[in-house]
Amino acid sequence: MNTLVLVFHPHLHDGSRINRTLAETAAAPSVTVRDEYALYPDFRIDAEAEQEALLAADRVVWQFPVYWYSSPALLKQWEDTVLRHGWAYGTGGDKLHGKELMAAVSVGGSSDKYRHDGEFGVIVPELLRPLEATAKHIGMTWLEPFTIHSTMKVTDEELDEAARQYAALLTA
């Protein structure tokens, strides 16, 4: 199983303890990690290069911090640029059929806040519904998301354990 982890964090190396650790831990012989903001700081995404990376993968992971109940802007731009009609969907658009797609997200709020009776009134998988719908539209199998809550309060030990779980999940 070849896994492609696309990391969408605008400050991965100079402000992200959680996503940086996850990305570093994810690297393995069967796992390719791409820092999308480092590749495309100007948002000019090379669709062909991204499509080539997708074709080589069996599983794709979109890793990102949840910003205002959504994904960072580059992920949306990436979807619009890479998942083209005739390639990812529509007539002849079957290149990703049968592959797996998972979101790996970090959220600042505690899991208690992300409950129907919590402060935010939603659970994280509900926030990811547009991504799940995208997966289904392009013929991918949507996997259960990997989530880290309370990112500002996670201890080093908790982060190390989460990173181990993440790496194991990516290579399973």
Side-chain angles (χ1 to χ4, degrees), residues 31-91:
V31 179
T32 301
V33 179
R34 292 171 62 98
D35 177 353
E36 296 294 307
Y37 272 90
L39 289 168
Y40 309 112
D42 58 2
F43 279 57
R44 293 183 185 169
I45 297 167
D46 182 342
E48 290 75 26
E50 294 299 307
Q51 290 171 346
E52 185 176 311
L54 290 167
L55 290 174
D58 302 302
R59 178 187 301 137
V60 178
V61 178
W62 289 336
Q63 180 187 315
F64 60 91
V66 173
Y67 287 161
W68 285 105
Y69 315 104
S70 189
S71 63
L74 187 62
L75 176 51
K76 176 62 172 120
Q77 178 69 29
W78 186 96
E79 289 177 277
D80 291 344
T81 303
V82 177
L83 303 178
R84 293 182 175 163
H85 183 273
W87 190 84
Y89 68 97
T91 303

Side-chain angles (χ1 to χ4, degrees), residues 13-170:
H13 301 289
D14 63 352
S16 172
R17 177 174 159 250
I18 303 297
N19 278 275
R20 184 184 67 245
T21 299
L22 292 180
E24 289 170 353
T25 305
S30 63
V31 179
T32 301
V33 179
R34 292 171 62 98
D35 177 353
E36 296 294 307
Y37 272 90
L39 289 168
Y40 309 112
D42 58 2
F43 279 57
R44 293 183 185 169
I45 297 167
D46 182 342
E48 290 75 26
E50 294 299 307
Q51 290 171 346
E52 185 176 311
L54 290 167
L55 290 174
D58 302 302
R59 178 187 301 137
V60 178
V61 178
W62 289 336
Q63 180 187 315
F64 60 91
V66 173
Y67 287 161
W68 285 105
Y69 315 104
S70 189
S71 63
L74 187 62
L75 176 51
K76 176 62 172 120
Q77 178 69 29
W78 186 96
E79 289 177 277
D80 291 344
T81 303
V82 177
L83 303 178
R84 293 182 175 163
H85 183 273
W87 190 84
Y89 68 97
T91 303
D94 60 356
K95 304 300 185 277
L96 301 175
H97 285 192
K99 295 178 184 284
E100 298 175 344
L101 180 62
M102 182 179 83
V105 299
S106 57
V107 293
S110 67
S111 57
D112 289 347
K113 291 182 178 191
Y114 284 96
R115 296 185 341 198
H116 291 121
D117 63 348
E119 181 179 340
F120 305 134
V122 297
I123 58 175
V124 172
E126 290 171 345
L127 297 175
L128 301 175
R129 283 279 160 83
L131 302 180
E132 181 179 358
T134 297
K136 290 179 181 179
H137 185 66
I138 61 177
M140 297 182 81
T141 300
W142 179 251
L143 302 178
E144 181 179 336
F146 179 86
T147 306
I148 296 182
H149 288 275
S150 304
T151 57
M152 303 308 272
K153 297 179 182 179
V154 171
T155 66
D156 290 342
E157 294 77 21
E158 291 168 334
L159 180 54
D160 288 346
E161 178 56 28
R164 277 192 292 278
Q165 291 174 6
Y166 185 54
L169 181 64
L170 295 177

